[in-house]
Amino acid sequence: MTAHEDPAAFAPELILLVGAVVALLTGSFVRQERQWSAQLVAAVALAGSLVAGATAGASGQTLYAGSYAIDAATFAARLIVPAAALLVLGLSAGRVRGSARESEFAVLVLLASLGTILLAGSTDLLLLAVAYLLASIPLYALAGWARDPAGAEGALKTYLFGVLLGIVMFLGIAVLFGLAGSTSYADLAQRLPGAPPAALALGAVAVFAGLLFKAGAVPVHFWVPDAVQGATTGAGAFLTTVPKIGALLALYRFVLVLPDDAINWRLLLALLAAASMTLGNLAAFRQDDPARLLAYSTISQVGYLLMVVVVADPVAGSAPLAALILYLAAYAAANLGAFAVIAARPGPSTLTDYRGLARQSPALAGVLVVSLLALVGTPPTGVFTGKLTVFAATWDGGWAWLVVIAAVNTVASLYYYLRWIAPAFARSDPATGPAAGPSVPGSPREALAWPARCVIAAAVTTGCLALLIGIVADGVLDIGSAAIKW
């Protein structure tokens, strides 16, 4: 049996697929009060996929006629995506428990996670298109899972943007296939340098459009705020975290096959990176809704992540890829931590409603501080090390002006994160008291409710991970030190 015919090499992805099928069947044949069993199946599948991915490592081989690579980028996705999805299930427990569509939530998370990993490992444009669909369609349903007007609006906007930009991306794939006569990245790298620049630019920009939509970058970011605000907290956390992992790793892999002398794609991505971090920050300054603030925050974070893609170069070594992987892992932990605090207090709808949080729940206040300061890039969190490596790689790549813009935006972002932290440590209003959601243990019965414990545990775990990744940053950087396949 040859390597590309070995199903065992595809074990992490197959575990997610089987888990999604089993969770769907479980939810179809058990009573509503036992729908939690589908969540358990999903958690086991994600844990199994995580273990299988860690065991498989980055072998460097390609599967199925060279269309899928098991390299550093895929290895990172196999670790970060299931771990992030597990945390999403935990922080969503308080909201989805007992719902008639509890099993649907678990299935959608599994399928979207599977599509994200496939997106990161694709080395063929056709597989990239399939992975885009598999990673996108469940997101439309997740955005509108609550079936309320706000969720429906967010889901509709996500769907319209996703379909439109998906069609544009498929057009780009068709153009590149026409230029190279193949959809394999290996063939594209050899044949695109001699292609007509105008047609090559059209195909590349069209593919960029689809992947930038998945990442939530400017100028295709307009769906993000409404989708995150209208979705449930767990769905919003997933929307702003997991798709970025696959999209940015796929974008990094794709640009390696593009010739530098034919089109100036680096300048285009650099301008989009600067626009994303700047516009995301400017829009976040005046946000009072925590979910909407995090939505604009995630747009700005994409700008920092795109900096690494600008300097991606197969000749220059693996330093940019290692920086990207570290930043993605650290960002996932910090972002999920902030959403976990929202999930633990579902009542508050404005930043000032968190007044007195430190007195009522010191653990949640600690998670909030760690997560938000991590998103800024404060030591010793993982995002600090991630930003430092990203800035260093970008500076070494000759894009000093982009590093300066990123540094200014980093300092500016501290303002709106502190707008959330400050009320948490302020004295609560004695007339109204701090807003307390049902998931915050305020009575023995609430404290013993397992969904509430899951949410609190997820919050504490993400806060610890945001710090831990900064401590073990060297080990995370080693994951990205291997060569990437195309």
Side-chain angles (χ1 to χ4, degrees):
M1 180 177 294
T2 59
H4 69 272
E5 296 174 344
D6 183 13
F10 212 54
E13 293 80 3
L14 291 176
I15 291 174
L16 291 179
L17 178 60
V18 172
V21 174
V22 174
L24 180 62
L25 294 176
T26 301
S28 301
F29 291 100
V30 299
R31 297 190 301 271
Q32 179 175 338
E33 60 270 18
R34 297 184 64 84
Q35 289 283 308
W36 58 265
S37 55
Q39 295 274 7
L40 180 60
V41 170
V44 171
L46 289 167
S49 177
L50 178 60
V51 172
T55 304
S59 63
Q61 67 176 337
T62 56
L63 308 177
Y64 301 102
S67 63
Y68 193 74
I70 309 297
D71 55 14
T74 308
F75 180 46
R78 284 176 164 184
L79 296 181
I80 302 173
V81 171
L86 265 174
L87 291 171
V88 168
L89 290 183
L91 67 89
S92 303
R95 174 63 178 85
V96 303
R97 180 70 177 95
S99 170
R101 297 179 299 281
E102 184 174 359
S103 61
E104 296 175 13
F105 188 92
V107 173
L108 292 172
V109 167
L110 286 174
L111 291 177
S113 300
L114 173 59
T116 299
I117 296 176
L118 291 175
L119 202 63
S122 299
T123 54
D124 189 285
L125 291 176
L126 292 181
L127 181 57
L128 185 73
V130 173
Y132 174 90
L133 293 174
L134 183 56
S136 298
I137 294 175
L139 295 184
Y140 309 148
L142 273 176
W145 180 84
R147 294 189 180 181
D148 55 15
E153 179 184 356
L156 181 60
K157 290 182 178 179
T158 307
Y159 169 76
L160 292 177
F161 269 92
V163 170
L164 173 62
L165 295 169
I167 293 173
V168 172
M169 179 179 174
F170 299 158
L171 171 64
I173 291 174
V175 171
L176 294 178
F177 172 71
L179 294 175
S182 174
T183 55
S184 170
Y185 282 13
D187 293 334
L188 292 174
Q190 294 178 357
R191 302 174 187 177
L192 287 182
L200 178 58
L202 173 63
V205 171
V207 174
F208 286 169
L211 295 178
L212 291 175
F213 158 76
K214 296 296 299 176
V218 172
V220 289
H221 66 289
F222 297 101
W223 62 276
V224 177
D226 292 326
V228 174
Q229 185 179 28
T232 61
T233 303
F238 192 93
L239 286 168
T240 56
T241 306
V242 175
K244 282 180 173 49
I245 300 168
L248 289 163
L249 290 174
L251 184 60
Y252 187 99
R253 191 189 300 275
F254 173 69
V255 299
L256 293 179
V257 307
L258 297 178
D260 283 325
D261 54 349
I263 56 173
N264 197 352
W265 58 266
R266 295 184 190 274
L267 178 59
L268 172 62
L269 291 181
L271 293 174
L272 294 180
S276 295
M277 64 181 78
T278 303
L279 295 179
N281 277 339
L282 291 176
F285 284 157
R286 299 182 62 83
Q287 299 303 320
D288 289 322
D289 185 285
R292 199 168 181 90
L293 183 148
L294 289 176
Y296 283 109
S297 166
T298 196
I299 295 171
S300 69
Q301 295 290 336
V302 176
Y304 305 124
L305 289 161
L306 282 175
M307 294 169 62
V308 185
V309 182
V310 172
V311 295
D313 189 346
V315 181
S318 58
L321 176 62
L324 176 61
I325 290 173
L326 174 60
Y327 201 143
L328 284 172
Y331 165 74
N335 191 60
L336 290 176
F339 273 100
V341 174
I342 298 177
R345 292 175 60 87
S349 58
T350 65
L351 300 181
T352 55
D353 290 336
Y354 284 80
R355 181 178 295 273
L357 176 64
R359 292 175 60 87
Q360 185 189 16
S361 180
L364 284 180
V367 173
L368 181 67
V369 171
V370 170
S371 299
L372 295 184
L373 292 183
L375 289 174
V376 176
T378 306
T381 62
V383 177
F384 167 74
T385 312
K387 274 192 176 181
L388 192 62
T389 53
V390 166
F391 288 6
T394 307
W395 186 280
D396 293 341
W399 296 85
W401 65 268
L402 185 57
V403 176
V404 172
I405 293 177
V408 171
N409 275 283
T410 297
V411 175
S413 67
L414 186 61
Y415 168 73
Y416 59 83
Y417 290 125
L418 288 178
R419 287 186 61 231
W420 191 353
I421 294 175
F425 289 87
R427 191 178 298 274
S428 59
D429 186 353
T432 60
S439 294
V440 177
S443 66
R445 182 175 182 179
E446 289 177 356
L448 294 175
W450 76 263
R453 294 205 306 270
C454 284
V455 176
I456 299 296
V460 174
T461 301
T462 52
C464 293
L465 284 175
L467 290 172
L468 181 62
I469 292 173
I471 298 173
V472 299
D474 288 341
V476 180
L477 288 172
D478 288 340
I479 295 176
S481 62
I484 188 170
K485 298 288 184 179
W486 74 88

